[in-house]
Amino acid sequence: MRRYDQAVLRLALRLTGSEHEAQDIYQEAFLKAYRNVGSFRFECSFYTWIYRIVTNLCLIICAASKCARKTQAWW
């Protein structure tokens, strides 16, 4: 997995624009990959799989932060 660590961090940083959020996503992505490596089907490369995990995590976090910003603006 170390082979992909810098690429995963760069991707998360590019998608979030925040170094702090990118580091959180980086850590969570590798935890998810480690926990679910048994379900990896080898139909694609490991990088493609981890790339998708990072992308999904970024979408979830960005959606949550937009909701939080809207809620804060409302109050």
Side-chain angles (χ1 to χ4, degrees):
M1 287 193 200
R2 288 197 185 276
R3 178 179 178 184
Y4 304 103
D5 65 345
Q6 291 301 309
V8 167
L9 187 56
R10 278 193 310 271
L11 173 62
L13 183 58
R14 192 177 66 218
L15 292 175
T16 64
S18 164
E19 190 170 334
H20 178 71
E21 284 183 350
Q23 290 173 350
D24 288 346
I25 288 169
Y26 165 85
Q27 184 176 8
E28 184 63 29
F30 279 105
L31 285 172
K32 279 185 168 273
Y34 180 76
R35 286 185 205 126
N36 296 300
V37 75
S39 65
F40 180 60
R41 294 177 295 197
F42 298 96
E43 293 172 0
C44 60
S45 71
F46 179 79
Y47 181 73
T48 301
W49 187 54
I50 193 97
Y51 181 97
R52 194 66 228 174
I53 292 171
V54 170
T55 303
N56 289 342
L57 286 170
C58 287
L59 290 171
I60 290 166
I61 287 175
C62 289
S65 66
K66 280 184 183 179
C67 279
R69 276 185 258 144
K70 285 180 183 178
T71 303
Q72 288 172 354
W74 184 73
W75 290 103

